[in-house]
Amino acid sequence: MSRIRPVAGSTALHRRSLLTATGALALCAGAGYALLPGGDRAVAAGSADAAADEAVPASSRQAPAAPLAPYTRGTTVAGVSAPRGGGGAGYRRLAEGPGWGRVVRGELAGARSGRDDRRTTLAAFVQLTDLHVIDTQHPLRLEYLRSTDVHAWRPHEALTVHGAVSLVERINSLRGAPVTGSPLHFAMTTGDNTDNNTRSELDWYLTALSGGRIAPNSGDPRQYEGVQNSGLRQYWQPDATTRDADKQLGFPHLDGFLAAAVREVNSPGLNLPWYSTVGNHDAMPLGCYASHGDPYLTELAVGGRKLMELGAAEAKKLRQTIKKATDPRGVQYGAFLRSQARAMRPVTPDEARAPFTPAEYVEAHLDPAYRGFGPVGHGYSAANLDAGTQYYAFRVSEDVIGISLDTTDPGGHYTGSLGTAQLLWLQRTLRTNRNARAIVFSHHTSKSMTNTHRDPARPDERRHDGGELVELLGSHPNVVAWVNGHIHRNAVTPHTGSAGSFWEISTASHVDFPQLARVIELVDNKDGTLSLFTTLVESAAPARTDYSDLTQTGLAALYRELSCNAPGARTDLGGTPQDRNTELLLKA
């Protein structure tokens, strides 16, 4: 049975963080301390006492009594949602198509015969990434940029909660890992769990994963107030007969869509332990502006005015400002919104739309209302609150540790980096646990960590890019994988360093088609090699949609189909066969 024990922890819960953690099975943190079982003192993670730390049984699934067997039902090995009749112009309906085969990749080690009969499982888990749970009625959204960039708003955004819950249902249905049949030990979200750093989205995301009822609505509790009933033709108006731009492309007219989209949704919650990693959309308003840089933005977020349309010339200028990161603190953005005050439309104010701070993000994970299947804090702890950090390590099994990094840059912009303190902590953690295989998690990829804006709270601290992180990970032979998201595309990349090799596994988002999560299995082939098996999964919603079915399940199916047809949607996000279902070999 898998065991989870703390690699870095804390002695006590934060004053606002609950006494329910008394029975916690894992309490992990990013401050470089380990909690000794049966004691009240914290010790340095590198000390002998910390190394002697006893294992604590994890609340993971039990291995079945019968021999383990591969479980591919519900995975993309068995079948994948695909447009009927192949590609082509116009709106496309979906149906279940043939599955994706598995590709063996031997860039880092050769495949040896007989390994299927020898291998043993070291870890098996699920990665969810870029859920982008969206409060579509929030006043601080950039939908109006659609006048110059069709990607600025997606027609399916009102259904992100339905899609996230359906993904939870799919994960719960997996009775074992696709290749080994091993029980799945945990799930990890790798950032952009929310879309706009707003409390409403944070509540919906945490409830979706932990279980409970969600009303995906803000402002007026009786109705939707946003761009989709604005009468503006640049947005899909599903309930109206308006011949909007999306209906001209084949999008349907669906009476009752908006009322159904804001109805209560019920989530069963994940039925295995889950951990959380932070992304730029979790940390910053709009995913790019330094948190709480301008009080006016907070005032607008909870207020009663919303900008819904903007001329193409002005939209293009604002889009370039964001893309080039010339306004990371949002000062120019605040001035722009002030200039548009008379063009804003009235909406119902809502305090739930307020932005949250990094500390509030951690506190929310520690809230017992969101404990679900545990562990308490979902990786975060009181030590994170005390140190002001959002990174931690945890014990996956006797021979494997997980490390969750915070690659967001508090200085602003959507690309990432690491501060020196975190980089040194990572190096210590890898060195202290040199006898354990290490799986590193982050939001950003190696190529998207290019941000050198200084942290306003640590102006003298240097920021480190993806190249430096690759170099550090490659200098530790126990690192086997770096699992991330951010780019909304499946990509698997080999890296060879000064002391070892590892695979970087980037997974597509669950907001853009093909809307996938990934199961990852680490096995020892007992021949001097390891294998990482990666298998993609879709949500539990059926591939075919029924426009008369506006139930929770019907809307989850529609979420996928609408995302496939979103104007300007990229067709390469699924990646090549080498980036999907794979066996990735490396030296043991």
Side-chain angles (χ1 to χ4, degrees):
M1 180 174 129
S2 168
R3 289 168 125 28
I4 297 179
R5 61 184 178 184
V7 174
S10 169
T11 56
L13 279 176
H14 189 271
R15 52 191 169 277
R16 285 179 286 177
S17 302
L18 275 292
L19 299 174
T20 58
T22 306
L25 298 176
L27 184 60
C28 314
Y33 293 91
L35 178 65
L36 290 180
D40 295 325
R41 58 194 179 89
V43 297
S47 71
D49 285 339
D53 158 30
E54 295 179 6
V56 180
S59 54
S60 59
R61 292 174 176 152
Q62 302 296 311
L68 298 179
Y71 190 87
T72 58
R73 182 179 178 183
T75 74
T76 59
V77 173
V80 183
S81 299
R84 300 183 196 174
Y91 188 94
R92 300 173 296 171
R93 305 299 296 272
L94 297 180
E96 184 163 329
W100 291 332
R102 192 172 302 282
V103 175
V104 178
R105 296 188 57 176
E107 293 99 311
L108 300 182
R112 299 181 181 178
S113 61
R115 66 189 183 284
D116 292 355
D117 300 322
R118 292 189 301 268
R119 64 190 177 214
T120 59
T121 305
L122 302 178
F125 61 93
V126 184
Q127 178 206 10
L128 303 81
T129 195
D130 295 85
L131 291 171
H132 284 277
V133 171
I134 299 174
D135 181 348
T136 57
Q137 301 170 78
H138 196 285
L140 278 188
R141 301 203 69 235
L142 296 168
E143 300 139 326
Y144 45 79
L145 293 186
R146 205 184 199 212
S147 61
T148 188
D149 180 6
V150 72
H151 304 95
W153 178 80
R154 309 172 182 91
H156 55 284
E157 288 180 346
L159 303 179
T160 55
V161 169
H162 304 77
V165 170
S166 187
L167 182 60
V168 167
E169 292 171 341
R170 168 62 71 209
I171 294 168
N172 288 350
S173 75
L174 299 176
R175 300 307 177 198
V179 175
T180 64
S182 165
L184 298 172
H185 300 141
F186 68 96
M188 170 64 83
T189 72
T190 51
D192 283 4
N193 308 303
T194 65
D195 186 70
N196 199 17
N197 180 240
T198 180
R199 293 177 185 174
S200 54
E201 296 170 349
L202 182 57
D203 171 62
W204 302 346
Y205 149 66
L206 290 170
T207 304
L209 268 59
S210 296
R213 296 189 176 276
I214 306 165
N217 189 20
S218 65
D220 190 337
R222 302 164 298 177
Q223 63 180 338
Y224 170 94
E225 299 174 308
V227 299
Q228 287 193 268
N229 65 354
S230 64
L232 296 170
R233 293 177 181 270
Q234 70 175 350
Y235 307 109
W236 179 44
Q237 307 291 302
D239 289 83
T241 57
T242 304
R243 188 69 173 162
D244 57 67
D246 291 333
K247 288 205 190 79
Q248 292 179 42
L249 297 175
F251 276 70
H253 169 219
L254 299 176
D255 283 322
F257 174 87
L258 291 175
V262 297
R263 277 201 301 262
E264 191 174 74
V265 175
N266 185 43
S267 175
L270 288 168
N271 65 359
L272 72 169
W274 63 272
Y275 293 83
S276 180
T277 294
V278 66
N280 55 292
H281 279 264
D282 304 312
M284 295 176 282
L286 304 173
C288 60
Y289 290 126
S291 185
H292 311 286
D294 185 344
Y296 179 66
L297 299 184
T298 301
E299 180 184 326
L300 278 180
V302 301
R305 308 287 292 176
K306 177 178 172 67
L307 184 63
M308 298 190 189
E309 59 181 324
L310 186 67
E314 290 178 284
K316 183 176 181 179
K317 182 179 178 181
L318 177 59
R319 179 178 174 275
Q320 289 300 314
T321 298
I322 295 171
K323 187 175 181 179
K324 294 180 179 179
T326 57
D327 183 32
R329 302 299 304 278
V331 176
Q332 295 174 44
Y333 178 60
F336 158 76
L337 289 175
R338 287 182 176 91
S339 73
Q340 298 294 322
R342 297 184 64 181
M344 294 181 181
R345 298 191 181 196
V347 294
T348 303
D350 192 340
E351 288 293 327
R353 293 170 175 157
F356 52 83
T357 65
E360 289 168 336
Y361 185 74
V362 172
E363 287 179 329
H365 283 76
L366 285 161
D367 190 325
Y370 305 118
R371 180 171 178 176
F373 222 76
V376 169
H378 303 290
Y380 300 116
S381 77
N384 289 115
L385 289 173
D386 294 339
T389 59
Q390 291 180 283
Y391 50 89
Y392 59 90
F394 62 103
R395 181 69 59 176
V396 174
S397 67
E398 294 294 344
D399 303 312
V400 182
I401 63 168
I403 300 173
S404 173
L405 301 178
D406 173 10
T407 55
T408 64
D409 192 324
H413 200 44
Y414 52 80
T415 53
S417 61
L418 290 179
T420 297
Q422 184 176 181
L423 198 74
L424 292 175
W425 169 85
L426 172 61
Q427 192 168 33
R428 289 195 305 270
T429 301
L430 290 171
R431 186 171 58 246
T432 300
N433 296 277
R434 63 176 63 88
N435 295 322
R437 310 290 182 188
I439 301 172
V440 178
F441 300 93
S442 74
H443 178 63
H444 291 90
T445 64
S446 58
K447 291 184 178 179
S448 61
M449 290 180 62
T450 59
N451 192 345
T452 57
H453 289 123
R454 296 297 176 106
D455 182 348
R458 301 174 177 85
D460 296 327
E461 183 183 50
R462 183 174 164 240
R463 304 295 298 186
H464 302 267
D465 64 18
E468 292 176 271
L469 182 52
V470 167
E471 183 177 359
L472 186 151
L473 297 179
S475 68
H476 293 270
N478 55 331
V479 175
V480 296
W482 177 9
V483 180
N484 51 44
H486 184 68
I487 58 175
H488 292 210
R489 176 170 51 85
N490 291 318
V492 177
T493 308
H495 292 286
T496 300
S498 60
S501 301
F502 65 93
W503 290 93
E504 182 176 358
I505 303 169
S506 307
T507 301
S509 76
H510 205 256
V511 69
D512 292 316
F513 191 79
Q515 296 184 336
L516 302 168
R518 198 187 295 260
V519 180
I520 299 175
E521 302 164 72
L522 174 63
V523 306
D524 185 346
N525 294 320
K526 302 297 183 180
D527 59 7
T529 67
L530 304 173
S531 288
L532 286 154
F533 291 101
T534 74
T535 308
L536 295 160
V537 297
E538 299 181 291
S539 79
R544 291 180 181 269
T545 58
D546 178 352
Y547 290 160
S548 67
D549 181 5
L550 297 181
T551 64
Q552 179 175 321
T553 299
L555 290 174
L558 188 59
Y559 178 59
R560 183 192 292 127
E561 181 173 290
L562 294 174
S563 74
C564 177
N565 289 281
R570 289 174 54 178
T571 59
D572 63 342
L573 299 181
T576 70
Q578 294 190 91
D579 304 309
R580 299 172 184 168
N581 300 331
T582 67
E583 179 184 2
L584 311 173
L585 286 132
L586 66 164
K587 294 178 181 178

